[in-house]
Amino acid sequence: MKRRSAPLVTEQSQAITFTRRSLVFGALQGGVGVLLAGRMGYIAIAENERSQVLAEENRIQMRLIPPRRGWIVDRNGQPMAQNRSTFRVDLLKERIEDVDYTLAQLTHLLGLQAADVERIRTELERATGSQPVAVAENLTYDQYAAVTLRQPELPGVSPLRAFSRHYPAGSTVGHLIGYVGTPNREEYLAANRDPLMITPGFKIGKEGLEKTMEGRLRGTPGAARIEVTARGRLVRELETLPDRAGQPLQTTIDAGLQEYAGRRLGEESGACIVMDCRNGNVLCMASMPAYDPNVFTDGISQLEWSFLAEDERRPLLNKALNGLYPPGSTFKPSIAMALLQAGIDPEERVSCGGGYNLGNRFFRCLGRHGPVNMHTAIARSCNTYFYAMGRRAGIDVLSDVCKRMGFGQKFASLPVVSQSYGTMPDDEWKRARFERNRRTVERPDWTESDTLNTSIGQGFVIVNPMQLAISAARIASGRMIQPRLLPVRGPEPGPLPWAQEHFEAVRSGMWEVVNGAGTAGRSRLPFPDIHMAGKTGTAQVRRITASQRGQAGTPWKYRDHGLFIFFAPTENPIYAGAVVIEHGMGGSRAAAPVAKDVLTYLFDRDMAMEALAPLEEQWGGTLAERTARRAEAWAAAHRSGRTPPQAT
């Protein structure tokens, strides 16, 4: 019999193999356990602080609080731009559960328009992280309370108390103070993506002093630590680091005078500037019509913007600094100073027979004045005298003196966004202009006819109202006055390098304009012991014949401008300034009466207000009422497809 072979796998070998595998798997499990325990220990001990911070961040939210802007006040401390408490509602995208439901509820509670809802949806799509999206500003307390009561069922909705900018004088300070608005993308990038720039409720200066003095007016933001649930609902406010308001900004402006001047300009388009001719402090710099900065601050609709942009009277232009006009006869006092520097005797007479012959060309005067000296030529605005004497003096002297009077100059002392400096021409200027644009200048060389036109403030001469006011202040004071909007301490302005008797000769002629047989006799001040000196001006805006001049039937945009420069009291000047009325058809008719009433306000406010009341009644109500009616008429015409009404 054959012997049976032993089995290949025995119980003993199976036991050994199982034991070995158990040890390997046990070792692996033990190693994993050690690693897990080590990791848990590391997280619990070594990263305990970091974990706490992360958990805290999930529970605690930080929110920037926009700083309150510094007030802008006048020379007496009266506010022209201030902050007032208001209510607003924001949305936090990452906490909203149902956008459609939330917007529907807010539309019901706040009365949102379709355009508002569309804007909110767009901004929610663009929002990143915890960036809030503004829903509505300047809410009533009832609206704020309604949202607050419903907040538990509206996750992501954040009602807040805030501050908004307010301008008590409305449009009368529009161009002077400017307005604030939400930063745009360019401003955000320029600020190195500062999160404050995208914080709802934060606004920066966009125009005027609000923009140029941004660094002073902007304060330091605060922050709030808020506890929220896992679903983002507000639990409580833990602590708040208050914001620090910006510094107040005092100006040289007289707020009452500024508002009065804006109202007194009425339905006209123009500018009024009044300054203290002893130191250059600007007391009033009104440009009308103007936008209401309160409307711009709250946000302006496309229709409202179109109303302003398409208005023929240009309410978006600061006419005081950026409006450019031929000065007309308001240029003659400065030309008279130049004639005196050229050695011309002020008593020498020129016979005016209605104009002046230069070769085969006849330059007209506004009348036949007979023999006139400098005093009479200023008082009666005789072109013939200035043609003859300006030609004798020559453009080099005329240009040099008029530049010293402030024409063709920018004033670095003014903290403004922009200013147009116009043109004070001479031979060099004309050659350069000819090379740049031969369509506007026929020939490169300076001609005697150019000198004659310059002598009466026409031709190539272009100025802004501030320059006219400066010329009046320098004639009145005899000093190199520089305009100032911010009070500063410094040396007194230095004297102009001309003889005192030359100033007296020109001032005497300007006194005659208003108080004697001059062109502005109807604008004498209503005080027996206070006299105003001035000079009227009428400037063409296009070539017209003598029979067309001053016709009321001419379309508004083709009528002559009316200008007036002034100072008072004539014996010891304190105030000086200029008024420009676009298409006013004459300085004595439109501009001088405004200057009279503005100076009356400075000497007797009650009398000036009594004179203004019947005028506003004649115009159809207050400035705000008239503006609202005009905007409504414009909107109605726009909706019906008709041509919107323009100036008349």
Side-chain angles (χ1 to χ4, degrees), residues 480-523:
M480 186 65 75
I481 295 296
Q482 297 290 335
R484 302 188 305 198
L485 279 172
L486 306 179
V488 294
R489 293 182 179 180
E492 292 291 325
L496 287 162
W498 304 318
Q500 186 63 31
E501 55 267 25
H502 292 175
F503 288 102
E504 293 296 338
V506 176
R507 293 171 192 155
S508 174
M510 294 177 70
W511 179 92
E512 185 79 17
V513 168
V514 180
N515 305 283
T519 57
R522 291 179 296 178
S523 295

Side-chain angles (χ1 to χ4, degrees), residues 27-43:
L28 291 174
Q29 289 176 341
V32 171
V34 170
L35 289 175
L36 290 174
R39 178 60 178 168
M40 291 175 63
Y42 176 78
I43 293 174

Side-chain angles (χ1 to χ4, degrees), residues 115-127:
D116 297 325
V117 175
E118 185 63 28
R119 173 191 61 80
I120 295 169
R121 288 185 181 277
T122 301
E123 292 185 6
L124 281 173
E125 292 175 359
R126 296 175 180 173

Side-chain angles (χ1 to χ4, degrees), residues 409-422:
Q409 308 298 305
K410 280 189 177 181
F411 304 106
S413 56
L414 291 176
V416 295
V417 175
S418 66
Q419 52 182 310
S420 302
Y421 53 88

Side-chain angles (χ1 to χ4, degrees), residues 75 274-283 473 481 573-576:
R75 60 177 180 165
V274 181
M275 60 196 313
D276 188 327
C277 61
R278 298 168 299 183
N279 51 30
N281 287 347
V282 177
L283 306 180
I481 295 296
I574 299 176
Y575 307 113

Side-chain angles (χ1 to χ4, degrees), residues 29 183 191 230 239 357 412 418 533 616 633:
Q29 289 176 341
E239 62 177 321
N357 285 303
S418 66
E616 289 194 320

